Amino acid sequence: MHKKVAQDKYQHHDYYGIDALLTEDHLLARSAVREWVKKEVSPIIEDYSNRAACPTHLFKGLADIGAFGPSLPMEYGGGGMDEIAYGIIMQELERGDSGIRSMASVQGSLVMYPIYRYASEEQKQKYLPKLGSGEYIGCFGLTEPDHGSNPSGMITNIKDMGDHYLLNGSKMWITNSPLADIAVVWAKDEEGVIRGMVVEKDMPGFSAPEIHGKWSLRASITGELVFEDVKVPKENVFPDIKGLKGPLSCLSKARYGIAWGAIGAALDCYDSALRYSQEREQFGKPIGAFQLTQKKLAEMITEITKAQLLAWRLGSLANDSKATPAQISMAKRNNVDMALNIAREARQIHGGMGITNEYPVMRHMMNLETVLTYEGTHDIHLLITGMDVTGFNAFK
Ligand code: TGC
Ligand code: FAD
């Protein structure tokens, strides 16, 4: 005898009572973003993804719900919340789509954060309020066609011309670049030292062609950055940061958000698979009654729960400014891998229906292939952990 159990979509999301560790502010932020995603993202995302179109109208809404720089100070366009609130917001956005979370990650952690942390006060005032309100869209240019995992080999460069710098080179795989009003760009000076700067879209010699043909992150727009003798005013170059630790510090912020975000994608796949397993019948009973399906679902919620605990503890460390880059790497790697495995298992539970856009699973699965690679690949993060525990640097 079997029975069909009515499920509240979110009832199994907190298997270990982690909500008890959250504050009222965290829970409020979560429900506000969750409602926004349900209303603004879920109804349109399959269509935009199908057409490989970016829902650019969502930038304003993302700004309104405080998704850009949630943990940056309010006077600089941020949300003034803590790191756990930032993580929870990324989780709820990625429950909708990794591309929507990407919009927020880039704007907040890779554009607003470096300007907040490294630019002059005048530059902060010039750019941050417009970025926080969504009036400006920003992008982050580190990766080059021949330098992805190894950004220290970059060849994009600036030359001191006295009253300005001349910027030459190109960047590849840049989220939001074709839409961006400004780009935070990393380039080497004449001494070979990596410097950061803000490049504005109207500067002559700067273009940002779109990259087409992605099977992943299709609702997110990706492009190149091309610099041909671009005159960059001296005041646009960050005065106080030199070397690769500049861009890597921004990546730490964004990787932290991804560690939380991936849980959202995993939860959406798990929800869909759980409900399907209770509704779909084969051999005279729901497929959820078969032990092999239960194994998949039990392992999914176990892995999600472990990832939630990792993210929560990382968030507590980050709130005390104690989260190390290696701890962030571990969480980014584990949680994205977890989400991708769950998407693949959830796809199987949906049978043939799993490959269609009737369900969100295949879209999440394709998106997560990018998430596994950007912000440091799965194997690069493994090597960061390896270096941390052994003391041997496999990159040198
Ligand atoms: P290495 O010699 O290890 O380090 C250079 C300096 O940086 C310091 N450092 C960090 N600082 C802050 N945060 C971190 N996470 C840091 N990691 C390292 C380090 O202490 C050192 O400081 P100092 O004072 O001694 O100069 O550098 P390396 O050249 O050996 O590289 C190490 C490696 C491979 C780990 C690094 O290059 C790396 O992480 N590579 C992966 C590249 C990557 O993640 N690219 C991402 C591009 S952006 C992107 O993907 C955005 S996707 C956006 C979206 O849509 O969401
Ligand atoms: P490669 O570095 O060429 O790596 C290829 C393979 O070799 C990987 O499996 C890698 O793990 C492996 N490998 C490399 N080195 C080692 C090693 N030492 N040991 C073992 N294995 C190794 N970048 C930005 O700057 N800004 C953005 O906004 C941005 N957005 C992106 C959006 C999308 C959709 C994508 C796909 C990428 C984006 N990226 C962005 C670039 C992303 O960060 C890079 O793709 C990533 O860092 C990997 O670089 P790569 O693609 O050149 O791969």
Side-chain angles (χ1 to χ4, degrees), residues 106 140-143 148-149 172-175 214 217 222 370 373-377 379-380 383 395:
V106 171
F140 176 88
L142 179 65
T143 306
S149 296
M172 177 83 173
W173 294 118
I174 308 303
T175 300
K214 299 186 340 263
L217 227 63
T222 316
T370 286
T373 289
Y374 70 20
E375 302 267 9
T377 70
D379 285 343
I380 291 297
L383 293 174
F395 300 112

Side-chain angles (χ1 to χ4, degrees), residues 316-328:
S316 303
L317 290 169
N319 276 345
D320 293 338
S321 303
K322 285 184 181 157
T324 66
Q327 286 171 328
I328 293 170

